């Protein structure tokens, strides 16, 4: 899978009709090359069939807050935005709360989520967002 101009994903597959915003751009030995719009809905749908689909959060999110996220926090945020239902079982001290808040903020900015409940100790919230 390859990202084209931060706008589309190039997917090699045998399925072509499952995603509305897609276009077949080539074919070889019964396998199609399909350009798919790189939007959240399309990425979530592709993620059900193909592993390794990059989340659009990685292309157009400004990661607000006092801290710059580590790579593993970005990976966690990508996972959380690609899966409509997910648990975050990262180890203690890896920045789960920040990853969840960034994911929720991204989804809120897209207008897909209105409210979020984050359950964590108050001390975590104070230290992470001062």
């Amino acid at each position: 899978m390859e990202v084209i101009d931060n706008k589309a994903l190039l997917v090699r597959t045998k399925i072509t009709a499952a995603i509305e915003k897609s276009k077949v751009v080539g074919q070889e030995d019964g396998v199609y090359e399909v350009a798919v719009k790189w939007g959240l809905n399309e990425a979530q749908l592709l993620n059900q069939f193909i592993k390794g689909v990059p989340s659009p959060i990685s292309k157009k999110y400004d990661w607000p807050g006092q801290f710059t996220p580590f790579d593993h926090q970005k990976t966690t945020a990508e996972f959380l935005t690609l899966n409509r239902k997910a648990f975050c079982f990262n180890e203690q001290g890896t920045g789960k709360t920040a990853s969840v808040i960034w994911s929720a903020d991204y989804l809120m900015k897209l207008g897909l989520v209105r409210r979020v409940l984050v359950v964590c100790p108050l001390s975590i919230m104070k230290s992470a967002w001062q």
Side-chain angles (χ1 to χ4, degrees), residues 66-67 121-130:
Q66 179 181 354
F67 302 106
L122 185 58
S123 61
I124 296 295
M125 292 298 290
K126 286 182 178 178
S127 66
W129 301 103
Q130 287 182 342

Side-chain angles (χ1 to χ4, degrees), residues 5-127:
D5 296 331
N6 269 342
K7 295 180 183 176
L9 299 173
L10 184 62
V11 180
R12 289 164 184 84
T13 182
K14 292 185 178 187
I15 302 168
T16 60
I19 301 174
E20 290 180 19
K21 296 178 181 177
S22 65
K23 180 181 178 181
V24 176
V25 294
Q27 177 186 8
E28 186 177 316
D29 296 329
V31 177
Y32 297 95
E33 282 193 335
V34 182
V36 180
K37 178 187 175 231
W38 193 19
L40 185 62
N41 291 333
E42 294 79 16
Q44 287 175 337
L45 183 60
L46 276 175
N47 189 54
Q48 294 177 24
F49 304 106
I50 303 169
K51 293 302 167 199
V53 175
S55 172
I57 194 173
S58 61
K59 74 171 177 173
K60 55 182 169 182
Y61 186 62
D62 61 0
W63 306 97
Q66 179 181 354
F67 302 106
T68 302
F70 292 104
D71 288 339
H72 68 274
Q73 289 174 307
K74 289 182 178 183
T75 301
T76 300
E78 288 181 15
F79 173 80
L80 294 171
T81 57
L82 282 178
N83 296 281
R84 292 178 187 262
K85 296 178 183 179
F87 290 104
C88 183
F89 292 124
N90 293 7
E91 292 290 327
Q92 180 178 354
T94 58
K96 294 179 293 293
T97 303
S99 297
V100 169
I101 291 172
W102 281 314
S103 300
D105 181 58
Y106 174 72
L107 295 172
M108 289 173 136
K109 286 180 178 177
L110 291 178
L112 300 173
V113 172
R114 290 186 316 188
R115 291 179 280 187
V116 175
L117 174 64
V118 177
V119 180
C120 67
L122 185 58
S123 61
I124 296 295
M125 292 298 290
K126 286 182 178 178
S127 66

